[in-house]
Amino acid sequence: MTHFTASDRQLLSRPLQAMITVAPTGGRWPAPRPVWFELTDADEIQLFSFASTPRVARVRETPRASIVVSAPVGEPEQWVSIEGSVAVHDDGAFELADRLARLYYAGEPGKLAVLDEWRDADLVRLVITPARVQRYSI
């Protein structure tokens, strides 16, 4: 069963930032962070992260997250909110980072130098399987 409408897919296929929120620890408040993401053919959302980040540690402990993607200012209001389980994968993270960097840095080739640093970094791929999708649009 798919959770996304055609309008959702159109928004999620653009190079927009998502705000991801994972379960906090130690009495902290939830703290959304901006991330690049990709909608997969299986209607999952994937992103990459350094394996050593607190976000990855929290996802390993509590494997769920939410992301929100919204249309930029100046466009008709639209957003999609996705809540779901998260799996951490050791494979495919650099390939995803490479694809996303080329997409998000299109027109800014000088910024692609960051790929040299990421190539040898300990990256992981986070895959969110939607359990609940909410949306709004005008």
Side-chain angles (χ1 to χ4, degrees), residues 2 16 22 39 42 44 48 58 71 79 84 92 97 101-103 116 131 134 136:
T2 183
L16 300 169
V22 299
L39 176 64
E44 296 173 318
F48 68 94
R58 291 192 305 270
W79 56 260
R102 293 178 192 287
L103 178 65
D116 293 333
Q134 295 178 288
Y136 176 81

Side-chain angles (χ1 to χ4, degrees), residues 20-33:
I20 187 170
T21 305
V22 299
T25 60
R28 294 188 58 186
W29 289 82
R33 298 287 191 264

Side-chain angles (χ1 to χ4, degrees), residues 85-134:
S85 60
V86 183
V88 180
H89 297 272
D90 295 323
D91 67 314
F94 177 75
E95 293 78 9
L96 175 62
D98 183 76
R99 269 195 316 279
L100 291 177
R102 293 178 192 287
L103 178 65
Y104 283 79
Y105 288 155
E108 301 177 87
K111 290 185 175 182
L112 292 176
V114 72
L115 290 171
D116 293 333
E117 297 171 31
W118 293 349
R119 184 172 284 106
D120 296 323
D122 189 15
L123 297 177
V124 293
R125 191 167 49 93
L126 302 177
V127 179
I128 302 171
T129 301
R132 182 176 182 194
V133 176
Q134 295 178 288

